[in-house]
Amino acid sequence: MQNRRAPAVAITPAREDTGLFKKGIVRLQVDLVPHKARSSRGDLVVKGFFQQNTQLDVIFAGRRAMETAPLEFCLERIFSNAIRVATRNQVQTNIDNIRFPVQVDGTWRPHFLRDMSGWETRSYQFLVAQWSFTDETGKEVAFGELPVDR
């Protein structure tokens, strides 16, 4: 199989953005939950909810994935606090109920998965260009950047 990826040094911000943000940029308010992973490319993938109960994968890809440490810290902090409270009150906690509001600018990308019987199901993915949230000091902080003009 031929490797279609260009060498990392050849990927300019404009070229990266052209590949990631093929459709228009929209602004959303999402609630992220502390369920996160890294893809094989190093992208951060966080489970989130849009409009209260529509589940989606929120993806911080490319150079933006390197700016996510403050967001990951906040997610880990709210998770630790929720576990501490649940343990103190001797109750179980559902990770989907631990939500962290974040404003994101980015684009939708369809994702299809085929199950064992051959049926395809569509899931929602949102590629993030820029994001902001209120940090633990109450200050609004922003990260990332809108796509570079083509």
Side-chain angles (χ1 to χ4, degrees):
M1 177 185 265
Q2 180 182 4
N3 185 1
R4 298 182 344 183
R5 291 187 197 164
V9 294
I11 305 295
T12 64
R15 185 172 181 185
E16 179 182 82
D17 289 352
T18 299
L20 291 174
F21 304 103
K22 296 176 183 175
K23 299 177 182 172
I25 299 296
V26 296
R27 176 169 286 175
L28 299 176
Q29 181 70 35
V30 296
D31 291 327
L32 300 180
V33 299
H35 184 273
K36 58 190 174 86
R38 291 276 174 182
S39 71
S40 61
R41 293 183 180 184
D43 302 338
L44 177 66
V45 181
V46 183
K47 181 178 180 182
F49 290 91
F50 169 65
Q51 296 178 341
Q52 291 292 73
N53 59 1
T54 302
Q55 183 178 322
L56 69 153
D57 288 332
V58 180
I59 302 172
F60 301 84
R63 68 186 186 278
R64 292 166 180 91
M66 295 180 282
E67 293 185 53
T68 60
L71 175 62
E72 291 182 80
F73 174 76
C74 287
L75 289 171
E76 290 164 7
R77 183 177 45 80
I78 66 164
F79 180 69
S80 295
N81 290 343
I83 294 301
R84 190 177 312 110
V85 168
T87 302
R88 186 179 322 125
N89 295 331
Q90 298 180 348
V91 296
Q92 288 190 344
T93 186
N94 180 348
I95 197 166
D96 287 352
N97 294 332
I98 305 169
R99 298 189 179 194
F100 185 68
V102 179
Q103 184 165 307
V104 292
D105 296 308
T107 191
W108 289 102
R109 178 172 75 178
H111 186 237
F112 296 92
L113 293 173
R114 188 179 309 266
D115 65 16
M116 297 293 283
S117 62
W119 288 95
E120 283 191 349
T121 57
R122 180 182 215 164
S123 64
Y124 298 98
Q125 292 184 330
F126 191 80
L127 292 170
V128 178
Q130 193 171 38
W131 64 99
S132 63
F133 57 89
T134 303
D135 69 9
E136 63 276 356
T137 66
K139 180 181 167 191
E140 183 80 14
V141 291
F143 299 91
E145 61 186 59
L146 292 177
V148 175
D149 289 335
R150 297 171 197 171

